[in-house]
Amino acid sequence: MASFSRSSTLSFFLLCLMWMMMMINIPTIAAVYHGYRAGPWEAAHATFYGDQTGASADMGGACGYGNLYSAGYGTETAALSSTLFQNGYGCGTCYQIRCVQSPHCYSGNPYTTITATNLCPPNWNEPSDDGGWCNPPRSHFDMSQPAFMQIADWHAGIVPVMYRRVPCQRKGGIQFQIQGNGYWLLVYVMNVAGAGDVGNMYVKGTKTGWISMSHNWGASYQAFATLTGQALSFRLTSETTGLSVIAWNAAPSNWYFGMTYEAKTNFH
């Protein structure tokens, strides 16, 4: 009788497990990443905006990320209905989305992973089931067209989907884009890993203690303080997980308005 070593048996088991996952089409994104665990699947609908190149959707957005390519998000993005957007606290969160129960779904029901970068506002002139897709309390995704085309034929216009919140996997550190003036510091926070969101934020200059920053809108936080000429450190806490991280000296002492600085840390 043939015999198998323990390592051979383990390898065979892993191969079987991978085959089973492919057969039942389970997304392979890490279940837990940087302190955040993937959530349950829920039902919603999805539409799209922009064009097939994503060029018309690469700038702006209610989260304030500006050019989504330079921010690292590309076209894998979506605008959230206000129920999910949560007055901007949903900015930076990540979702897996798959088309279901529609002849326009691509075979195999592939999924795509998007980052929330914009708001899909309510349309109170239309009923929630016929045009007012983003009216509360609906959960809805208005995806960039390239992202929508990964799961369904764009001719459909709108499709039913299943979605779940997933960890955001980012390359590099958290990014801070600094705006404002000599008396007002406005910081947009980008490239956040883990849960992807920011619940509160503090700033510290080399000559100050920690200063609480208030939520402005989208992914931006503000402090009414004079901090020019000082290296800036930031302390962030995730809205979802409550985990905190400190980005020491993320902006050097010669920082200036309009620039984006990348920290050496992210959520772990």
Side-chain angles (χ1 to χ4, degrees), residues 7 11 18 28 124 205:
S7 60
S11 298
M18 291 175 63
T28 56
W124 300 115

Side-chain angles (χ1 to χ4, degrees), residues 10-24 26:
L10 179 60
S11 298
F12 178 75
F13 172 77
L14 291 174
L15 286 172
C16 290
L17 180 61
M18 291 175 63
W19 178 83
M20 290 173 63
M21 291 177 69
M22 289 188 292
M23 292 299 293
I24 60 179
I26 294 177

Side-chain angles (χ1 to χ4, degrees), residues 248-265:
W248 293 106
N249 299 319
S253 59
N254 62 344
W255 64 267
Y256 56 94
F257 299 107
M259 287 296 294
T260 299
Y261 301 91
E262 183 171 332
K264 296 180 181 179
T265 188

